Amino acid sequence: MKLVMKSVVLTTLLGVSISVHALKGDTDQPINIDSGSQSLDMNSNVVVFTDNVVITQGSIKVTAHKVTITRQEGKKETLDATGSPVTFQQTLDNGKSVNGKGNSVHYNLNSEFLTLIGNAELKQQGSFIKASKITYDIKKQQLKANSGNKSRVRTVLIPNELNNKK
């Protein structure tokens, strides 16, 4: 189960980096999970971390109130995190950082699909996307942002940042 949990967290954290590569060496670093409590149900293959969960690996950092990792028979794991909000940050090879947040985050390793729900936001320097829901298909490199009936998706792009590869 330790190996399963490690692969779930590693893959989840790497998937969060949007479309740019993580800082080289992050994946070789130990995964540290700090929480107020942890429970494991070996029969149902569920691990739950609660009470101010902080997950770090190299430059990657995820914070949440609760993180649940589930493995279904014959399928890869899913990760569900909740908080007010769930946050993540990661330093990229170019030295820039990517930050994100949402009231809840769901990641399906089988389909490599990430969903941020509730006050969802992705930022890199001054550019950002804010919406009620942001989905990211890692395999297809496709991002979608949706908002509720009374709100709108807000995107700010800084031209100098788009043109500057470094």
Side-chain angles (χ1 to χ4, degrees):
M1 187 65 177
K2 184 177 179 182
L3 181 59
V4 168
M5 183 175 64
K6 183 175 179 180
S7 69
V8 168
V9 174
L10 175 63
T11 306
T12 300
L13 296 177
L14 293 176
V16 167
S17 70
I18 309 307
S19 62
V20 191
H21 294 95
L23 189 64
K24 286 181 180 161
D26 273 351
T27 59
D28 297 328
Q29 300 298 316
I31 297 170
N32 299 291
I33 303 172
D34 186 28
S35 64
S37 64
Q38 171 184 335
S39 65
L40 167 64
D41 183 338
M42 301 220 12
N43 289 329
S44 62
N45 291 322
V46 176
V47 181
V48 179
F49 300 93
T50 56
D51 301 325
N52 299 317
V53 182
V54 178
I55 302 170
T56 58
Q57 183 183 27
S59 74
I60 303 165
K61 181 178 180 181
V62 175
T63 63
H65 174 70
K66 180 180 179 181
V67 175
T68 303
I69 301 169
T70 306
R71 183 171 193 201
Q72 297 175 351
E73 190 67 34
K75 295 183 180 181
K76 292 184 181 179
E77 297 83 5
T78 61
L79 180 137
D80 290 286
T82 57
S84 294
V86 175
T87 66
F88 61 86
Q89 62 186 38
Q90 181 175 23
T91 302
L92 307 175
D93 282 339
N94 62 12
K96 297 176 183 177
S97 64
V98 171
N99 296 286
K101 67 179 182 176
N103 293 341
S104 67
V105 174
H106 175 79
Y107 185 67
N108 184 319
L109 275 76
N110 198 43
S111 61
E112 295 187 39
F113 200 81
L114 175 70
T115 304
L116 304 166
I117 300 172
N119 300 312
E121 182 177 307
L122 291 173
K123 279 185 177 180
Q124 185 174 9
Q125 293 187 306
S127 298
F128 65 86
I129 299 171
K130 289 184 182 182
S132 295
K133 179 179 180 180
I134 299 173
T135 61
Y136 183 59
D137 186 323
I138 295 165
K139 287 181 186 177
K140 295 178 182 176
Q141 295 284 296
Q142 294 177 344
L143 183 138
K144 292 182 183 178
N146 302 310
S147 283
N149 295 336
K150 296 182 181 181
S151 63
R152 312 247 319 149
V153 173
R154 181 160 187 233
T155 303
V156 173
L157 301 172
I158 308 300
N160 291 342
E161 292 174 13
L162 297 173
N163 294 330
N164 187 358
K165 302 254 183 207
K166 299 199 177 203

